[in-house]
Coordinates of all heavy atoms in Angstrom, one line a residue:
L9 N 5.3 40.9 3.4 CA 4.5 39.7 3.7 C 5.5 38.5 4.0 O 5.1 37.6 4.7 CB 3.6 39.4 2.5 CG 2.4 40.3 2.3 CD1 1.7 39.9 1.0 CD2 1.5 40.2 3.5
D10 N 6.7 38.5 3.4 CA 7.6 37.4 3.6 C 8.8 37.9 4.4 O 9.5 37.0 5.0 CB 8.1 36.8 2.3 CG 8.8 37.8 1.4 OD1 10.0 38.0 1.6 OD2 8.2 38.4 0.5
T11 N 9.1 39.2 4.5 CA 10.3 39.6 5.3 C 10.0 39.8 6.7 O 10.9 39.7 7.6 CB 10.9 40.8 4.6 OG1 10.0 41.9 4.7 CG2 11.4 40.6 3.2
D12 N 8.8 40.1 7.1 CA 8.4 40.3 8.5 C 8.1 38.9 9.1 O 7.0 38.4 8.9 CB 7.2 41.2 8.6 CG 6.8 41.6 10.0 OD1 7.2 40.9 10.9 OD2 6.2 42.7 10.2
A13 N 9.1 38.4 9.8 CA 8.9 37.0 10.3 C 7.9 36.9 11.4 O 7.4 35.8 11.7 CB 10.3 36.5 10.9
T14 N 7.5 38.0 12.0 CA 6.5 38.0 13.1 C 5.1 38.3 12.6 O 4.1 37.6 12.9 CB 6.9 39.0 14.2 OG1 8.2 38.7 14.7 CG2 5.9 39.0 15.4
N15 N 4.9 39.4 11.9 CA 3.6 39.8 11.4 C 3.3 39.4 10.0 O 2.2 39.6 9.5 CB 3.4 41.3 11.6 CG 3.6 41.7 13.1 OD1 2.9 41.2 13.9 ND2 4.5 42.6 13.4
G16 N 4.3 38.9 9.3 CA 4.1 38.4 7.9 C 3.5 37.1 7.9 O 3.1 36.5 8.9
L17 N 3.4 36.5 6.7 CA 2.7 35.2 6.5 C 3.4 34.1 7.3 O 4.6 34.0 7.4 CB 2.8 34.8 5.0 CG 1.9 35.7 4.1 CD1 2.3 35.4 2.6 CD2 0.5 35.5 4.3
Q18 N 2.5 33.3 8.0 CA 3.0 32.1 8.7 C 2.4 30.9 8.0 O 1.4 30.9 7.4 CB 2.4 32.2 10.2 CG 2.8 33.5 10.9 CD 4.3 33.6 11.1 OE1 4.9 32.7 11.7 NE2 4.9 34.7 10.7
M19 N 3.2 29.8 8.1 CA 2.9 28.6 7.3 C 2.7 27.4 8.3 O 3.6 27.2 9.2 CB 4.0 28.3 6.3 CG 3.8 27.0 5.5 SD 5.0 26.8 4.2 CE 6.5 26.6 5.2
V20 N 1.7 26.6 8.0 CA 1.6 25.3 8.6 C 1.3 24.3 7.6 O 0.5 24.5 6.6 CB 0.4 25.3 9.7 CG1 0.1 23.9 10.2 CG2 0.7 26.3 10.8
I21 N 1.9 23.1 7.7 CA 1.6 22.0 6.7 C 1.2 20.8 7.5 O 1.8 20.4 8.5 CB 2.9 21.6 5.9 CG1 3.4 22.9 5.1 CG2 2.5 20.5 4.9 CD1 4.6 22.6 4.3
D22 N 0.0 20.2 7.1 CA -0.4 18.9 7.6 C -0.8 18.0 6.5 O -0.8 18.4 5.3 CB -1.6 19.1 8.6 CG -2.7 19.9 8.0 OD1 -2.7 20.3 6.8 OD2 -3.7 20.2 8.8
A23 N -1.0 16.7 6.8 CA -1.2 15.7 5.8 C -2.5 14.9 6.2 O -2.8 14.8 7.4 CB 0.0 14.8 5.7
C24 N -3.2 14.5 5.2 CA -4.3 13.6 5.3 C -4.0 12.2 4.8 O -3.3 12.1 3.8 CB -5.5 14.2 4.6 SG -7.1 13.2 4.8
S25 N -4.5 11.2 5.5 CA -4.2 9.8 5.1 C -4.8 9.5 3.7 O -4.5 8.5 3.1 CB -4.6 8.8 6.1 OG -6.0 9.0 6.4
V26 N -5.8 10.3 3.3 CA -6.5 10.1 2.0 C -6.5 11.5 1.3 O -6.1 12.5 2.0 CB -7.9 9.6 2.2 CG1 -7.9 8.2 2.8 CG2 -8.8 10.5 3.0
A27 N -6.9 11.5 0.1 CA -6.9 12.8 -0.6 C -7.9 13.8 0.1 O -9.0 13.4 0.6 CB -7.4 12.6 -2.0
W28 N -7.5 15.0 0.2 CA -8.3 16.0 0.9 C -9.6 16.3 0.1 O -9.6 16.2 -1.2 CB -7.5 17.4 1.0 CG -6.4 17.3 1.9 CD1 -5.1 17.0 1.6 CD2 -6.4 17.7 3.3 NE1 -4.3 17.1 2.8 CE2 -5.1 17.5 3.8 CE3 -7.4 18.1 4.2 CZ2 -4.7 17.7 5.1 CZ3 -7.1 18.3 5.5 CH2 -5.8 18.1 6.0
T29 N -10.6 16.6 0.8 CA -11.9 16.9 0.1 C -11.9 18.4 -0.1 O -11.9 19.2 0.9 CB -13.1 16.5 1.0 OG1 -13.1 15.0 1.1 CG2 -14.4 16.8 0.3
E30 N -12.0 18.8 -1.4 CA -12.0 20.2 -1.7 C -13.3 20.9 -1.6 O -14.3 20.3 -2.1 CB -11.3 20.4 -3.1 CG -11.1 21.8 -3.5 CD -10.3 21.9 -4.8 OE1 -11.0 21.8 -5.9 OE2 -9.1 22.0 -4.8
G31 N -13.4 22.1 -1.0 CA -14.6 22.8 -1.0 C -14.3 24.3 -1.3 O -13.2 24.6 -1.7
G32 N -15.3 25.1 -1.1 CA -15.1 26.6 -1.4 C -15.2 26.9 -2.8 O -15.4 26.0 -3.7
T33 N -15.0 28.1 -3.1 CA -15.1 28.6 -4.5 C -13.7 29.1 -4.9 O -13.1 30.0 -4.2 CB -16.1 29.8 -4.6 OG1 -17.4 29.3 -4.2 CG2 -16.2 30.2 -6.1
A34 N -13.2 28.7 -6.0 CA -11.9 29.1 -6.5 C -11.8 30.6 -6.6 O -12.7 31.2 -7.1 CB -11.6 28.4 -7.9
P35 N -10.7 31.2 -6.1 CA -9.5 30.5 -5.6 C -9.6 30.3 -4.1 O -8.6 29.8 -3.5 CB -8.4 31.4 -5.9 CG -9.0 32.8 -5.8 CD -10.4 32.6 -6.3
A36 N -10.7 30.6 -3.5 CA -10.8 30.5 -2.0 C -11.2 29.1 -1.6 O -12.3 28.8 -1.0 CB -11.8 31.5 -1.5
Y37 N -10.2 28.2 -1.8 CA -10.5 26.8 -1.5 C -10.5 26.5 0.0 O -9.8 27.2 0.8 CB -9.4 25.9 -2.2 CG -9.4 25.9 -3.7 CD1 -8.3 26.6 -4.3 CD2 -10.4 25.4 -4.4 CE1 -8.3 26.6 -5.7 CE2 -10.4 25.4 -5.8 CZ -9.3 26.0 -6.4 OH -9.3 26.1 -7.8
T38 N -11.2 25.5 0.4 CA -11.2 25.0 1.8 C -11.0 23.5 1.7 O -11.5 22.9 0.7 CB -12.4 25.3 2.6 OG1 -13.6 24.8 2.0 CG2 -12.6 26.8 2.8
Y39 N -10.4 22.8 2.7 CA -10.2 21.4 2.6 C -10.5 20.7 3.9 O -10.2 21.2 5.0 CB -8.7 21.2 2.2 CG -8.4 21.7 0.9 CD1 -7.9 22.9 0.7 CD2 -8.6 20.9 -0.3 CE1 -7.6 23.4 -0.6 CE2 -8.3 21.3 -1.5 CZ -7.8 22.6 -1.7 OH -7.6 23.1 -3.0
T40 N -11.1 19.6 3.8 CA -11.4 18.7 5.0 C -10.8 17.3 4.7 O -10.7 16.9 3.6 CB -12.9 18.6 5.3 OG1 -13.6 18.2 4.1 CG2 -13.5 20.0 5.7
C41 N -10.5 16.7 5.8 CA -9.9 15.3 5.7 C -10.9 14.3 6.3 O -11.4 14.4 7.4 CB -8.6 15.3 6.5 SG -7.8 13.6 6.6
T42 N -11.2 13.3 5.5 CA -12.1 12.2 5.9 C -11.3 11.1 6.5 O -11.9 10.1 6.9 CB -13.0 11.8 4.7 OG1 -12.1 11.3 3.7 CG2 -13.9 12.9 4.2
G43 N -10.0 11.2 6.5 CA -9.2 10.2 7.1 C -8.5 10.7 8.4 O -9.2 11.3 9.2
T44 N -7.2 10.4 8.5 CA -6.5 10.8 9.7 C -5.5 11.9 9.3 O -4.8 11.8 8.3 CB -5.7 9.6 10.2 OG1 -6.6 8.6 10.6 CG2 -4.9 10.0 11.5
T45 N -5.4 13.0 10.1 CA -4.5 14.1 9.8 C -3.2 13.9 10.7 O -3.3 13.3 11.8 CB -5.1 15.4 10.1 OG1 -5.5 15.5 11.5 CG2 -6.3 15.7 9.2
S46 N -2.1 14.4 10.2 CA -0.9 14.5 11.0 C -0.1 15.7 10.6 O -0.2 16.3 9.5 CB 0.0 13.2 10.6 OG 0.2 13.1 9.2
L47 N 0.6 16.2 11.6 CA 1.4 17.5 11.4 C 2.7 17.2 10.7 O 3.5 16.3 11.1 CB 1.7 18.1 12.8 CG 2.3 19.5 12.8 CD1 1.4 20.5 12.1 CD2 2.7 19.9 14.2
V48 N 2.9 18.0 9.6 CA 4.1 17.8 8.8 C 5.1 18.9 9.1 O 6.3 18.7 9.3 CB 3.8 17.8 7.3 CG1 5.0 17.7 6.5 CG2 2.9 16.6 7.0
V49 N 4.6 20.2 9.2 CA 5.5 21.3 9.6 C 4.7 22.2 10.5 O 3.6 22.6 10.2 CB 5.9 22.2 8.4 CG1 6.7 23.4 8.8 CG2 6.8 21.3 7.4
A50 N 5.2 22.4 11.7 CA 4.5 23.3 12.7 C 4.6 24.7 12.2 O 5.4 25.1 11.4 CB 5.1 23.1 14.1
A51 N 3.8 25.6 12.9 CA 3.7 27.0 12.5 C 5.1 27.6 12.4 O 5.9 27.5 13.3 CB 2.9 27.8 13.4

């Protein structure tokens, strides 16, 4: 999952100008931004 750089896990990080709104059922959280989003780390 971490050693296969192509088919293993890929990461993206973004930021919201306000706290993210949490949804979903733990641990399957989902998040939406009611403010402005910006890219912090591309895939």
Side-chain angles (χ1 to χ4, degrees):
L9 290 174
D10 63 85
T11 60
D12 188 333
T14 301
N15 298 306
L17 292 169
Q18 305 296 305
M19 177 175 65
V20 173
I21 302 178
D22 51 5
C24 182
S25 57
V26 296
W28 291 90
T29 300
E30 187 174 83
T33 302
Y37 297 110
T38 60
Y39 295 93
T40 55
C41 177
T42 58
T44 302
T45 60
S46 55
L47 184 64
V48 176
V49 174

